[in-house]
């Protein structure tokens, strides 16, 4: 089984740390990705970090994970609430899948209360700020190791 975990971030998450710190915190996406790569190595995993503002690119990466990754951690950003294409791609991935959010969408506007990612995922982590990325890695690593 692959020792790689895909950490995928969707639209606008490249702006982390640069706007709306009261919601999303002060860490940049580069900070988060560096932390996750380092933490992943300690857990025995290579963490492949990618961000895209394009729905189709995220779909292509989820498809690529079928051959290249044991698990996917996905913060699909606003596509969480709209994308049947991402839902379908996740359904076709047999490994472990986590829906991740920095904020808790359920405490926010009503349009954020629907997720197309959650029903195609094994677990959801939301509302812990950027610490949630490390929490997701710990949980996914434990799950993948226990399934071997
Ligand atoms: O809480 C999350 O992680 C979200 O996935 C973030 C998305 C939002 O649409 C989801 O409902 C919840 C938005 C990401 C936008 O990120 C920004 C970061 C800094 C400045 C502006 C946007």
């Amino acid at each position: 089984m692959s020792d790689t975990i895909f950490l995928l971030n969707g639209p606008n998450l490249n702006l982390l740390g640069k706007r709306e710190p009261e919601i999303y915190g002060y860490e940049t996406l580069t900070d988060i990705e560096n932390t996750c790569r380092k933490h992943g190595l300690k857990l025995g995993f290579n963490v492949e970090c990618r961000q895209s503002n394009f729905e189709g690119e995220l779909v292509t990466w989820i498809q690529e994970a079928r051959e290249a990754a044991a698990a996917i951690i996905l913060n699909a950003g606003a596509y969480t609430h709209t994308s049947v294409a991402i839902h379908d791609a996740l359904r076709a991935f047999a490994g472990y899948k986590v829906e991740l959010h920095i904020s808790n969408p359920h405490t926010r506007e009503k349009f954020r209360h629907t997720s197309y990612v959650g029903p195609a995922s094994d677990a959801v982590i939301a509302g812990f700020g950027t610490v949630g990325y490390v929490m997701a890695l710990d949980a996914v690593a434990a799950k993948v190791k226990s399934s071997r």
Side-chain angles (χ1 to χ4, degrees):
M1 190 196 270
S2 170
D3 284 336
T4 297
I5 296 169
F6 272 22
L7 173 56
L8 304 181
N9 281 285
N12 295 311
L13 286 154
N14 54 313
L15 298 177
L16 282 175
K18 298 170 186 164
R19 301 276 301 274
E20 300 193 71
E22 66 287 355
I23 302 177
Y24 300 116
Y26 287 94
E27 272 194 294
T28 66
L29 186 59
T30 303
D31 295 335
I32 293 166
E33 289 177 342
N34 287 338
T35 300
C36 287
R37 270 189 289 265
K38 268 189 217 157
H39 193 69
L41 288 178
K42 284 188 209 155
L43 297 168
F45 289 90
N46 167 50
V47 181
E48 174 70 28
C49 302
R50 300 183 191 173
Q51 185 275 333
S52 180
N53 293 325
F54 297 92
E55 185 176 16
E57 192 160 37
L58 292 162
V59 168
T60 298
W61 291 342
I62 294 165
Q63 289 182 8
E64 186 185 328
R66 286 157 51 84
E67 304 299 326
I72 298 173
I73 297 167
L74 172 63
N75 185 346
Y79 288 141
T80 303
H81 317 299
T82 62
S83 180
V84 177
I86 288 175
H87 173 100
D88 289 344
L90 286 170
R91 283 249 183 253
F93 176 75
Y96 203 76
K97 295 159 266 193
V98 176
E99 173 183 5
L100 174 69
H101 298 287
I102 298 167
S103 65
N104 178 356
H106 294 284
T107 63
R108 301 180 65 191
E109 304 95 323
K110 200 155 187 224
F111 63 83
R112 296 184 204 275
H113 298 182
T114 298
S115 171
Y116 288 85
V117 171
S121 298
D122 296 292
V124 182
I125 293 178
F128 288 102
T130 53
V131 169
Y133 284 89
V134 174
M135 293 169 68
L137 266 183
D138 281 333
V140 162
K143 278 285 178 188
V144 171
K145 283 177 188 168
S146 73
S147 72
R148 282 178 175 162

